[in-house]
Each structure stands twice: as C-alpha cells, then as structure tokens.
C-alpha cells in the first residue's frame, strides 16, 4: 500500500493561463563581435553595414540598436557581400559557389510595452542562384566565382570566375544573360602575340565600373592584364599589359586613371586615354616598403580630396623578412604616412565618402576596417587620424572572458559616475567624431532601467557594459594589474626606447601605430578574474582572481595615489600533511600606485594557499566579504581590516586541491598508484558481481523499474558519491542572510557556505550595530573597537553528497530576502520575520527547502532522479505578468548540464515550465550563463558573443528597427505577429533549417509537465503537496542505491519519454 497519494484534480485552466502570462522563452539578440567574420559591405545611401561569417550568418548594422540577422540554410562561409544601394537588398556569395539575394521586409505591427509599433523590418532571403558549369568542361572550377560587381544601375550583376570568364545576372530576378557572357578566349584574340605567349590570363581578380561612363568595366586578370571593356559594343576599348600578378583595382573618381595593386607589395597608377589601344607602362609604380621582398597588397583604395592630395589606403605590403607576420593597413596622404598595426588579420575595409555624382571629390570621412577579432574605425577628418570608439560590436574577448556578473536597475548616480570615469579613459585614446554607420531607426521603447553587465577577463581587467538595450556598449574598464608586481611591469622596464636614438631610427620605418583593443595575451595568468560582486547602493566592488587574490574596491571621482592595504588569510589553518604545489601568489606593490577615477582598491585579501577563488559574497551594509577556494572559506571585515573567520574544508584525500589550476608538474608516483587502485577495485567488484548475459541485465532493469512504477514511473536511481572524491573541499557558493539560526525568536546576520561534497556550513555572526547580538550589548566599548564574531551554528551533510550549487534564504512568506540596503532604504518591502524562515539549498542533483532554525526538510525535488540531468546554474527571479501590471511571482530558475531551463515556484518547488535553451554539447555556454533578476539571461555562444534570452513574457530586449528605402516594403505574413530571431552561429537547438530573417512559427509558449501528461497519470494533478518532515537520514538515499549497470539501463529506458517532465517524487 502506498504511503503517500497524489491528488488527481486534472489541470487548472486558470493556473495555465497565469503561466502563459508569466513565462515565455525567446532568444532575443546576440551581443558582441561576430565569430569568425569573413565578408564586409557598406550601403552609402542607407548608411548600413553588413558582416558575413564563416558559419553562414549575415548581420546588418546601422545606428546603435539597429540590427538585422540572417542565416543561410547551409552553414557555409560567406565570402562576399554587396548591397544594392538604397534598396534594402543585398547579395551574398557563399563558399559553395551560390549567390543569395536578401531583402529587408516589413513585418506585421508589433505591440511592445502596450504601444503598437508599425514599420518593424526584418531580413529575409528571397532567392538564390548557382552558376552552371560550362558545356564540355568537367571541372566546376572554371565557373567558380572569384569576384562580384554590382553596376550602379543595380539591375546587372557582373560575375568574375576562376576560368577567366565574366558572366552577367539580371537583378533582382537572378537570371543569367547568356548573350552578354565574356569568355577569356574573346579577350585573348585582342592581345598582341608577344603578350599572349600561349599562357592563360588566370582567374578574374577584380571588376570595377567606370565612375563616369556607365557600361564600361575594368576587368583585371591574375596574370596582370587589365581590360577596359564596353558592355554596349562588346569590345575591348583599351588593354593595360601589366607584367606583375594582380591583386586588386580601384578607379580614381574622374575616371582618367586607375590604380592596381600587386603581389610583390607594389602598386601602379595607369592613365586611361583614347589615343592607343595598348598601354604597356603605368604612369608610376611604387613598392612603398621595398626594396626588399614584400608581401602582396591585397586591396587598395584611392580617394580624392579638395586639398589636392589623394588619400591612399591599402592592406598588406609589409617587408616579408622583418614584418611579414604583421597585420597592417597603410594610410597615405601627401607627407602623412601611418601604418596601422593590428593584432588580428585584416578581412576587408571600406571608406565612408561622398558618392553623389554631382560632387567632384570623394572627401573620405572615415575608414572602417573589419579584422578577424574586432572592428576598427579611423577618423580621416581629424588630424592624426585617431580611432573612433565603437558603440557596439566591441570585442568582448579582447582578453578572454573568465566570469560575468549582472546588475539590474542601476541607480542613476552610480551610472553617471561610471560613464564619466569611462569618458576620462577614452578621452586619451579616441577621437570625438560621430559614428559613421548610422542608418535605420531604432523604434524600440527606451529602457525603463539601466542595466550593467560586468565581465572579468584573463588579463585582470573588469569591463563594464551598458546592457540596457540591443547594443552592448562599453562604459568603463577597470584594471587590477597595477595592484601587483607582474612579470611585464612597465615601471620595472629599464629600457626606454624614447631615449635611444638607434631605437628611434629603427622605429621610424614603417611608421607603425598600434590600433585596436584585442589583445589575447595575458602578462600573467594569475591575474585572471574568477568572481565578481558589486553592491550598487554602496558602490563597493569585490573582484577575486586565479592566485587567491580578493580585492575590495570603492568608487572615486578623483585620481588617487596610495598604497593598498594587504591582509593574508591562511585557509589551511596549519593543517598538517598538505603542501601547496601550485603557482605562487602575486606580489603586492609596496610603493604607492596611481589609480585613475573610477573603482579604486581599498584592501587586498590574499588567500593562502594562493588557489583560484571559487566563490565570493559581499554584504556592504555589514562591511563584510566572504570568499572560498578549493581549501576552505574565509570571512573578512574590510571596514576594520580584520579577518573574522577562516575554515578549512579539505578532506584528508584532497590531494588534487593542492596542485592548483596552473600546476604543470604532476606526480608520476601518484598517477601510477591511482591507476593500480582503479584496476584492483574493478577486479574485486568483478568477483562479487555474478556473471549475467546482456538479456538478463535488461530484464533486471525492467523488473526494477516495474517495482517502482506505483510511486513514480520515470524515477532514476542515484548512486551516492564517495566522500573520497578529489576536490571535495571546493567551496561552490556563499551567502549572507539576516535570518533565524540560533532559535526561532531572534534573527540576525548569518553566513552560509556550500561545498563540492554536499556539506553546508551556517555561521551566526555578531556584527556591531546589527541585530540583538552580544556584541551590541557591551556598553563600554565603542562600535569601532568591537570586532565581528562568527560562531558555527549548523553543519549539514547532504546524504547524496552532490555539490551545492546555490543557497538562498526565504522569509516567512516564502520570498527571497532583499539585497543589502534595500530594506533599510525602503527600496524593497521588508522581509517577513514574524513567521519561520526557510533555506533553499540547490545541489547538482536536487532542490530542497529546509525550515529554520531546526533545519528540517520541508520540500524537495530530485531533478536528477526525474530528468537525468545535473543542475549547473540556479537563480531566484521575479517574473511579472504581461497581462496584470501588479501581479508577479518569485520563481527558481535552473539551468542543467543538458542545456535546458527548469522553472519552479517557491517555496513549494512545483515544476512550472521547461525550455530547451543551450545545446548540451556547448559546455562553455552553459558554464558562462548568468541570469538577471527580471527573467533575462546571457551566455557565451562564441568567445566574442553573448546570446541574450528571455524567460519572461513581459520583459524582452530585442531589435525593433525601421529603414526608409527607395522601394516599397513588402509585408511578410505572420500568424500572430511574433518572430524568433535567428541564431547566427548555429547554437540554437532547433534542427530544422530556417531561412533566417523570415518570420516563423513562435516556439511553444509552455512546456508544462501538467499539460504533457495524461489525466490518469499521477503527474496530472494541478496541485502537488508534500508533507515530508524530519532530519536527513540514510533513508533519503537508500531507494537510489543500485549498481552502475542498472542505472545505465534505467537511463536507456527513460530516453523514450524525453518529452515528458515529472512531478515531485516522495520517499
């Protein structure tokens, strides 16, 4: 007979309606720099820029907030993009030799924030074309496209091929005009015999239309021949008999001359005249970085100016021997000559200049350079040609991202001070010109609150980003390296090149200038930031790093020169038998250092051994920080500069914890010992296990499942983890809370810590001036002289020993406690202290709520037993209703190792909805996920891009843009006016090929365990109650003890029921 019974009431329509008003999953926008860019284009009329990637994505950018994304059906590299100016159309050439036509199309009206938005535009693929092979030629390489040229009339596309032929496509129908095709044989007939020599002209390298006479083309062949071809008369007007291998061509605006660049690092200027058909010699030739062998000049631009001296821009051309590995772009005008030196490869570049036919000069205002890892814009109107700050497309991975932290509803004063600190930084580095890519209009409503995204990096920097809207804009950069003496300390460098005349002479040519902020090399890997915590009310920041450094910083508007206080905390507590084999600590700077306006260090806490910090917590109202490593955790009072607590969590077998993440030396003896133990263990266990056939194993597993069907049809058995697991002492989470720990009548400050082995430590804190503790009752001593005290109140051991991912304290109403200062400053409702509090402990395998102060189990949900997954990230989120303005619910959000999101109500832990979010193979994406407090989140889809998603039906940050085009916008049909933004790098879980940019069916609004279950199932109840109390005992896990083979077979049997979620399992 069953001990517990479910109430089978069927689904509650009212509850389902509320859930649809609260929850909806959408991937909204991709922040950062596109991964592996491969093509670039610019529309001078609409002022839009397009970037293509190797994964087949096309991203169109305009003014900040204006973004469109398209994704080809095949994940093939985009090799070229060309706009049809003013039309909102663009052509893309893929690596598979197909040409695709895209259009900006008008979507249906959208209701955003209660306002109906008209004219929302999306990017949609409308047609594609593949050039047919030539008859009688088996190889398709002859018709492989090498270059595209769109004529100014925008009705004809010229296609150059590897076989030397030029084909013509009619636009926008993408139909081939056979009568216009120009094959290499026709050109060869016009050549003089001495130039022909029986050799092929090679592939078509460049096509350029005459700037003044439409219908005339420059056709450049790889061998060096350039032909001026008249499309109307179909004959060659002039032939330029170049001898050097050709790379690119560009016209001068008047059409009287053109410039060719070559693979020997030189360029030539050719005059165009009607006097003679053959032109053997250019007007001038130059190898700017000769005379020694140079690399090819891949692309060259010639722009005229009113001053008379043209601006010459070209990529490549560096001397092979000395600078062949540099990625450079040269800008020349008269005597001004700058070689921009980048840290990643130049993909392409264009100039922003005047294109109106009535204008006499180009007058370039900026050059936009697409690099492999960033976008750089140079202001050509300001003397010195400085770079412009980018309002979007900033390289998030300028140094590798190691952690992130999100702050919602940033106070205006803090925001203003951060913006000013950032402006002071950028003022020294950038020009103040206007951003040249400013097309389109952002019609999304302005954000109600400002949001910050903080990213920690490998080089010891913390970057602050404006995450309020679609454009992720850099605000401010904080560096921590100047707190320490590092291996590459500039102040310790004895050589100063400015005082050395030989060095000066050597650096004069080429005139290099370092440009861009992508710098993947870290001076010292120990500087890497691991954890960040920011209090937005007190402006206190805590950053911790790879070498056990924990730095407390305060915000200041003035520059400061001071010595940072250092405090060392020994987490081993003189534990014998442990020797740290990892890296050394970073040496703190003993002399005063200069700190610019912004966050400035107040105190440095150094954990010993200097292992990487794995958890950190800040309570600015109590002036306390807590930090944890693989050895233990500590508590520090940064106001009194006093270490309050140090607790070692090491298990006697935790030898791996002593090696450190950067240790390169492994003990051979220990590795051999572990291997022999593993072999001996398997032999012993093999003797005990009876020999069974595969068939009998399946039968045993099915029988075991059948025995459990009465209670929970899809429960998995869990094998408890060994207490001897390595790294069991790693501190996974820390939490401050004002709650009941000693008894049920007196609440006060507490500290909670959870470890990798399922241990939870709860300390009662005596904070002067807080609560009714003993420290406040000492009448004689002043508050400043009284120290904070910590007393161990509870120690909990989860029987399944799974790592503790998160600890949160809930008040008497079951709501999360407010953040520090929120209750005292009336920024949030005060917590309920009249009823008993509870603590929610989330481990990798289950969620459990305990009552306080007795720590007796109230509710639990065994996620691993039900879903076969492990909890990776947990957050308490407040979801507002999209229909009722004043209705909201606190919800627990779990991200698992399978990449799906599970939402539970609290404190009952009833499953609400489940969504597929991240591909389960994307381990770094899952590990990097960070949630906001209003139901949104971010995770890395590449080293340089964050995917933004929303779980809320009410809060959505997505691009809503309009563009004024030269053609009427066509509307796309949609069932309900919603669109799902494409995932440009293919990280979305939907396996169906989707022409990105099109409106598509919205994702299922809810995936509820109640909706997907038949009424006769015990899971179909709308209200699942659990009344299970008592201390944690071995009975809690006894039902899950089984062999590994049975557990594996159970998993196989369960996979058939992937679409279903389960209710709460009771034991």
């Amino acid at each position: 007979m069953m001990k517990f019974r479910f109430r089978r009431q069927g689904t509650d329509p009212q509850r389902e309606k509320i859930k649809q008003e609260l929850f909806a999953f959408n991937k909204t926008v991709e922040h950062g720099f596109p991964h592996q860019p491969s093509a670039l284009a610019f529309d001078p009329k609409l002022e839009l820029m397009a970037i293509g990637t190797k994964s087949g994505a096309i991203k169109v950018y305009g003014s900040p907030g204006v973004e469109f994304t398209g994704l080809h059906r095949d994940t093939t590299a985009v090799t070229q993009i060309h706009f049809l100016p003013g039309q909102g159309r663009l052509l893309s050439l893929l690596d598979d030799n197909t040409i695709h036509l895209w259009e900006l199309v008008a979507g249906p009206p959208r209701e955003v924030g209660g306002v109906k938005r008209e004219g929302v535009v999306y990017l949609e693929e409308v047609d594609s074309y593949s050039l047919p092979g030539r008859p009688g030629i088996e190889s398709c390489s002859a018709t492989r496209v090498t270059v595209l040229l769109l004529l100014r009339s925008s009705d004809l596309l010229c296609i150059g091929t590897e076989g030397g032929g030029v084909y013509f496509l009619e636009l926008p129908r993408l139909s081939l005009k056979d009568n216009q095709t120009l094959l290499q044989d026709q050109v060869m007939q016009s050549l003089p015999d001495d130039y022909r020599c029986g050799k092929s002209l090679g592939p078509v390298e460049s096509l350029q239309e005459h700037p003044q006479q439409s219908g005339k083309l420059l056709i450049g062949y790889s061998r060096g021949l350039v032909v001026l071809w008249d499309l109307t008369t179909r004959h060659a007007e002039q032939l330029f008999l170049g001898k050097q291998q050709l790379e690119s061509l560009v016209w001068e605006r008047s059409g009287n001359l053109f410039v060719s660049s070559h693979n020997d690092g030189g360029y030539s200027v050719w005059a165009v005249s009607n006097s003679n058909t053959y032109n053997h010699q250019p007007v001038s030739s130059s190898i700017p970085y000769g005379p020694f062998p140079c690399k090819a000049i891949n692309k060259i631009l010639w722009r005229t100016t009113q001053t008379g001296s043209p601006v010459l821009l070209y990529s490549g051309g560096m001397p092979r021997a000395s600078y062949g590995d540099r990625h450079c772009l040269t800008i020349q005008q008269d005597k001004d000559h700058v070689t921009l030196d980048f840290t990643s490869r130049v993909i392409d570049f264009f100039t922003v200049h005047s294109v109106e036919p009535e204008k006499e000069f180009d007058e370039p205002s900026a050059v936009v350079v697409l690099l492999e890892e960033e976008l750089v814009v140079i202001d050509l109107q300001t003397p010195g040609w400085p770079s412009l700050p980018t309002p979007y497309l900033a390289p998030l991975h300028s140094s590798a991202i190691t952690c992130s932290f999100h702050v919602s509803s940033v106070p205006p004063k803090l925001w203003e001070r951060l913006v000013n600190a950032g402006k002071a930084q950028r003022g020294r580095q950038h020009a103040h010109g206007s951003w040249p890519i400013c097309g389109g209009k952002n019609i999304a409503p302005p954000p109600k609150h400002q949001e910050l995204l903080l990213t920690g990096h490998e080089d010891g920097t913390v970057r602050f980003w404006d995450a309020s809207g679609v454009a992720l804009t850099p605000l401010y950069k904080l560096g921590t390296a100047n707190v320490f003496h590092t291996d590459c300390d500039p102040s310790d460098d004895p050589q100063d090149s400015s005082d050395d005349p030989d060095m000066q002479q050597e650096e004069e040519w080429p005139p290099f200038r370092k440009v861009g902020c992508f710098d993947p090399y870290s001076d010292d890997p120990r500087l890497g930031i691991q954890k960040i915590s920011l209090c937005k009310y007190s402006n206190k920041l805590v950053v911790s790093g790879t070498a056990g450094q924990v730095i407390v910083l305060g915000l200041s508007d003035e520059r400061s020169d001071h010595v940072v206080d250092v405090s060392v905390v020994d987490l081993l507590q003189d534990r014998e038998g442990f020797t740290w084999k990892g890296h050394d600590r970073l040496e703190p700077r003993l002399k005063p250092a200069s700190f610019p306006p912004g966050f400035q260090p107040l105190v440095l806490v150094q954990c010993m051994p200097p292992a990487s910090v794995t958890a950190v917590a800040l309570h600015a109202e109590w002036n306390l920080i807590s930090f944890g490593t693989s050895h233990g955790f500590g508590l520090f009072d940064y106001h009194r500069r006093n270490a309050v607590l140090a607790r070692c969590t090491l298990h006697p077998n935790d030898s791996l914890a002593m090696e450190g993440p950067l240790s390169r030396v492994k003990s051979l003896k220990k590795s051999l010992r572990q291997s022999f133990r593993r072999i001996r263990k398997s032999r012993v266990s093999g003797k005990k296990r009876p020999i069974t056939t595969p068939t009998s194993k399946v039968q045993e597993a099915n029988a075991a499942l059948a025995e459990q069907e009465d209670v929970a049809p899809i429960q998995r058995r869990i094998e408890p983890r060994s207490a001897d697991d390595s790294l069991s002492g790693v501190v996974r989470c820390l939490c401050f809370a004002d709650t009941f720990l000693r008894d049920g009548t007196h609440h006060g400050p507490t500290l909670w810590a959870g470890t990798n082995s399922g241990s939870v430590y709860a300390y009662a804190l005596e904070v002067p001036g807080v609560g009714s503790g003993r420290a406040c009752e000492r009448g004689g001593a002043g508050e400043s002289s009284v120290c904070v005290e910590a007393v161990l109140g509870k120690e909990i051991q989860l029987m399944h020993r799974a790592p503790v991912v998160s600890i949160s304290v809930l008040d008497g109403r079951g709501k999360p406690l407010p953040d520090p200062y929120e209750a005292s400053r009336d920024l949030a409702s005060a917590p309920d202290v009249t009823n008993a509090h509870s603590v929610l402990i989330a481990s990798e395998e289950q969620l459990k709520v305990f009552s306080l102060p007795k720590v007796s189990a109230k509710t639990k949900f065994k996620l691993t037993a039900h879903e076969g997954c492990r909890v990776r990230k947990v957050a308490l989120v407040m979801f507002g209703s999209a229909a009722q303005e004043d209705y909201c619910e606190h919800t627990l959000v779990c991200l698992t190792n399978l990449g799906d999101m599970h939402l539970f109500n609290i404190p009952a832990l009833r499953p609400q909805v489940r969504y597929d979010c991240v591909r389960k193979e994307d381990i770094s994406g899952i590990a990097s996920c960070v949630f906001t407090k209003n139901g949104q989140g971010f995770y890395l889809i590449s080293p340089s891009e964050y995917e933004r998603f929303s779980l809320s039906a009410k809060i959505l940050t997505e691009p809503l843009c309009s563009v004024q085009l030269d053609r009427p916008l066509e509307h796309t049909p949609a069932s309900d006016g919603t669109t799902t933004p494409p995932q440009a790098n293919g990280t979305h879980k939907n396996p169906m090929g989707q022409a990105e940019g099109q409106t598509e069916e919205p994702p299922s609004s809810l995936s509820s365990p109640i909706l997907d279950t038949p009424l006769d199932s015990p899971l179909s109840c709308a209200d699942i109650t659990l009344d299970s109390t008592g201390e944690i005992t071995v009975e809690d896990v006894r039902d899950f003890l089984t062999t590994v083979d049975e557990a594996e077979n159970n998993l196989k049997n369960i996979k058939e029921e992937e679409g279903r979620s389960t209710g709460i399992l009771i034991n």
Side-chain angles (χ1 to χ4, degrees), residues 162-223:
E162 274 191 10
V166 181
Y167 301 82
F168 297 90
L169 275 186
E170 197 176 345
L171 294 177
R173 293 189 302 155
L174 294 184
S175 59
L176 184 65
K177 300 185 75 171
D178 289 318
N179 59 339
Q180 290 274 16
T181 301
L182 170 63
L183 299 179
Q184 200 174 95
D185 303 341
Q186 297 171 252
V187 178
M188 293 284 281
Q189 294 170 7
S190 308
L191 294 176
D193 293 336
D194 60 335
Y195 190 87
R196 199 179 309 173
C197 299
K199 294 180 183 178
S200 165
L201 297 177
V204 177
E205 287 292 341
S206 184
L207 293 170
Q208 297 291 334
E209 185 181 13
H210 196 292
Q212 304 297 332
Q213 302 174 33
S214 58
K216 291 186 178 181
L217 298 181
L218 269 185
I219 305 172
Y221 295 92
S222 177
R223 186 175 145 195

Side-chain angles (χ1 to χ4, degrees), residues 900-918:
D900 46 12
M901 297 279 184
H902 296 260
L903 277 66
F904 301 87
N905 69 349
I906 55 171
L909 297 182
R910 298 190 192 101
Q912 301 299 302
V913 290
R914 185 189 71 81
Y915 300 113
D916 288 339
C917 181
V918 192

Side-chain angles (χ1 to χ4, degrees), residues 647-679:
R647 171 69 186 252
C648 181
T649 56
L650 279 178
H651 188 273
N653 292 344
D654 267 352
S655 54
L656 277 182
M658 304 310 295
E659 295 199 355
L662 302 177
S663 175
R664 295 180 178 87
V665 183
K666 288 200 171 184
S667 169
L668 177 62
K669 190 185 297 182
K670 187 189 69 180
S671 301
L672 288 171
R673 190 186 305 125
Q674 287 179 345
S675 301
F676 280 120
R677 278 179 183 168
R678 221 175 282 124
I679 294 168

Side-chain angles (χ1 to χ4, degrees), residues 181-393:
T181 301
L182 170 63
L183 299 179
Q184 200 174 95
D185 303 341
Q186 297 171 252
V187 178
M188 293 284 281
Q189 294 170 7
S190 308
L191 294 176
D193 293 336
D194 60 335
Y195 190 87
R196 199 179 309 173
C197 299
K199 294 180 183 178
S200 165
L201 297 177
V204 177
E205 287 292 341
S206 184
L207 293 170
Q208 297 291 334
E209 185 181 13
H210 196 292
Q212 304 297 332
Q213 302 174 33
S214 58
K216 291 186 178 181
L217 298 181
L218 269 185
I219 305 172
Y221 295 92
S222 177
R223 186 175 145 195
L225 174 71
V226 180
V227 178
L228 181 59
W229 183 262
D230 193 321
L231 288 174
T232 311
T233 59
R234 289 189 51 76
H235 83 282
E237 277 200 2
Q238 202 168 351
L239 293 101
F240 304 88
L241 308 176
K243 301 284 174 56
Q244 190 63 41
Q245 183 175 322
L246 183 72
E247 292 290 331
S248 73
L249 296 171
V250 63
W251 279 104
E252 190 261 348
R253 190 180 181 99
S254 66
N256 296 325
L257 55 88
F258 69 88
V259 183
S260 61
S261 70
H262 304 277
N263 79 328
D264 64 347
Y267 64 88
S268 302
V269 180
W270 301 80
V272 179
S273 62
N274 299 324
S275 56
N276 55 348
T277 306
Y278 302 112
N279 192 334
H280 292 270
Q281 292 296 328
V283 175
S284 65
S285 289
S286 172
I287 301 179
Y289 298 113
F292 299 107
C294 295
K295 298 192 76 174
I297 292 180
N298 310 108
K299 180 177 178 177
I300 190 164
L301 295 178
W302 179 291
R303 300 292 181 235
T304 57
T305 63
Q306 205 163 355
T307 58
S309 299
V311 179
L312 191 64
L313 309 99
Y314 51 90
S315 60
M318 289 292 106
R320 282 186 181 275
S322 47
Y323 302 112
D325 58 342
R326 299 284 186 103
H327 311 290
C328 297
L329 177 84
T330 301
I331 308 176
Q332 290 178 233
Q333 185 182 24
D334 201 13
K335 294 181 180 179
D336 295 325
H337 187 131
V338 171
T339 307
L340 305 178
D341 187 9
F342 305 108
T343 52
S344 58
R345 186 168 56 92
V346 177
I347 304 295
D348 201 355
F349 62 97
F350 64 82
T351 57
V352 180
H353 61 276
S354 170
V355 293
E356 290 82 2
E358 62 272 10
K359 295 288 180 67
E360 187 179 352
F361 301 102
D362 293 313
E363 293 296 340
S365 59
V367 57
V368 179
V369 189
L370 176 66
L371 306 165
E372 202 167 32
E373 304 292 354
E374 63 183 316
L375 185 84
V376 173
V377 180
I378 303 297
D379 184 359
L380 296 178
Q381 292 182 321
T382 304
W385 299 325
S387 58
L388 287 170
T390 54
Y392 49 82
L393 283 175

